[in-house]
């Protein structure tokens, strides 16, 4: 099925030093960018195993992670750091919606952290986030290898290499749209609906089942579209109200071990609060 795109949609996959979004680093990156006119571009520009885009994470790669993706400390010694590639990568992703497999919970948040470490203000505001895993788990509840077999009739070889995983994710997503175009589901109120549509805004809403202000889900939007805390003693309370009541809470969060993107959102909320009080 040809995708109904209003702007570029970039599917991405990362291989990393671990799974801690706030601390771990990227060691490999692949992106497949789909254009509204049907053109496809990739990062790296040429694909194939010999063109794996390796990144020096500047920290040791744990052996447990290396055994998964096959990238060891010796492999990254001459590779560029993320800071070195960040400006070109930011330009490549400019004005793109973002997609992947489990990307809303891992790949996009970790990528955002890397950009912020490189002093590049990467934001998800205005972007549709397409998480193919969310659709898959909703409809079939399997993993990428099973999804590729089920939807595309193919075996996924070279799993846990960024580019094969990304290309497989693109094929699965396109096949999903065909497979579920006439399939309905029933919501909690008993209403039938078509959850999978060839519309990126609708898929974004499906992928992001609860609207979060930050990737980690520490700050979410309530029914009135007000940002509220989603953890701790102030859970459910508006962020601005908490900052007014507990003047030290902002400083505590800035100095605590929260992801950089969470801190970026908190700074923006505090600036909005100060502007409204001026």
């Amino acid at each position: 099925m040809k995708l109904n795109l209003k702007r570029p949609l970039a599917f991405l996959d990362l291989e990393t030093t671990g799974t801690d979004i706030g601390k771990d680093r990227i060691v490999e990156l692949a992106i497949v960018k789909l254009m509204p006119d049907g053109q496809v571009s990739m990062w790296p520009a040429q694909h194939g195993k010999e063109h794996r885009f390796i990144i020096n994470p500047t920290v040791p790669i744990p052996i447990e992670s290396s055994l998964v993706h096959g990238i060891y400390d010796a492999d990254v010694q001459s590779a560029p750091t993320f800071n070195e590639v960040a400006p070109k990568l930011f330009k490549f992703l400019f004005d793109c919606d973002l997609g992947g497999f489990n990307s809303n919970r891992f790949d996009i948040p970790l990528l955002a952290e890397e950009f912020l470490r490189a002093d590049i203000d990467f934001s998800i505001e205005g972007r549709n986030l397409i998480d193919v895993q969310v659709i898959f788990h909703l409809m079939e509840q399997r993993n990428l290898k099973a999804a590729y077999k089920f939807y595309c009739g193919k075996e996924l070889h070279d799993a846990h290499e960024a580019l094969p995983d990304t290309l497989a994710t693109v094929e699965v997503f396109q096949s999903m749209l065909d497979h579920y175009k006439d399939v309905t589901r029933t919501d909690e109120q008993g209403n039938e609906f078509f959850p999978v549509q060839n519309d990126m805004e609708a898929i974004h809403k499906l992928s992001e089942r609860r609207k979060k202000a930050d990737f980690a889900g520490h700050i979410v939007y309530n029914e009135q579209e007000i940002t509220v805390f989603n953890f701790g003693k102030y859970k459910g309370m508006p962020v601005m109200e908490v900052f007014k009541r507990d003047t030290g809470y902002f400083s505590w969060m800035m100095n605590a071990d929260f992801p950089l993107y969470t801190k970026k959102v908190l700074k923006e909320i505090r600036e909005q609060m100060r502007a409204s009080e001026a």
Side-chain angles (χ1 to χ4, degrees), residues 14-28:
L14 310 177
E15 302 300 337
T16 64
T17 59
T19 58
D20 189 320
I21 291 170
K23 295 180 179 179
D24 281 306
R25 305 298 179 91
I26 297 171
V27 298
E28 183 185 9

Side-chain angles (χ1 to χ4, degrees), residues 10 69-70 95 102 129 148 179 210:
H69 49 58
D95 199 33
N102 194 34
L129 305 181
Y148 197 53
H179 191 85
R210 184 172 186 183

Side-chain angles (χ1 to χ4, degrees), residues 142-205:
R142 302 280 177 84
N143 58 25
L144 177 58
K145 186 173 183 178
Y148 197 53
K149 178 69 173 179
F150 182 86
Y151 292 102
C152 306
K154 303 175 184 178
E155 295 293 338
L156 177 57
H157 302 290
D158 299 321
H160 296 296
E161 290 185 16
L163 191 56
D165 284 359
T166 307
L167 291 168
T169 299
V170 172
E171 286 191 58
V172 169
F173 180 57
Q174 292 172 316
S175 296
M176 277 180 168
L177 296 180
D178 282 323
H179 191 85
Y180 296 121
K181 64 180 179 180
D182 297 319
V183 177
T184 62
R185 284 291 181 266
T186 304
D187 63 19
E188 296 177 356
Q189 289 74 41
N191 303 310
E192 282 196 344
F193 67 107
F194 292 86
V196 182
Q197 307 170 41
N198 190 5
D199 179 274
M200 297 309 111
E201 292 181 5
I203 296 295
H204 163 70
K205 292 178 181 177

Side-chain angles (χ1 to χ4, degrees), residues 5-6 11 46 48 68-70 84 110 113 115 133 150 155 164 168 174 185 189 227 231 254 266 274:
L5 301 178
K6 298 180 177 65
F11 282 93
Q46 295 175 297
V68 173
H69 49 58
E84 291 172 332
L110 200 150
E113 290 293 299
F115 272 123
Q133 187 189 64
F150 182 86
E155 295 293 338
Q174 292 172 316
R185 284 291 181 266
Q189 289 74 41
T227 51
F231 75 100
M254 288 297 104
L266 289 173
R274 287 177 170 176

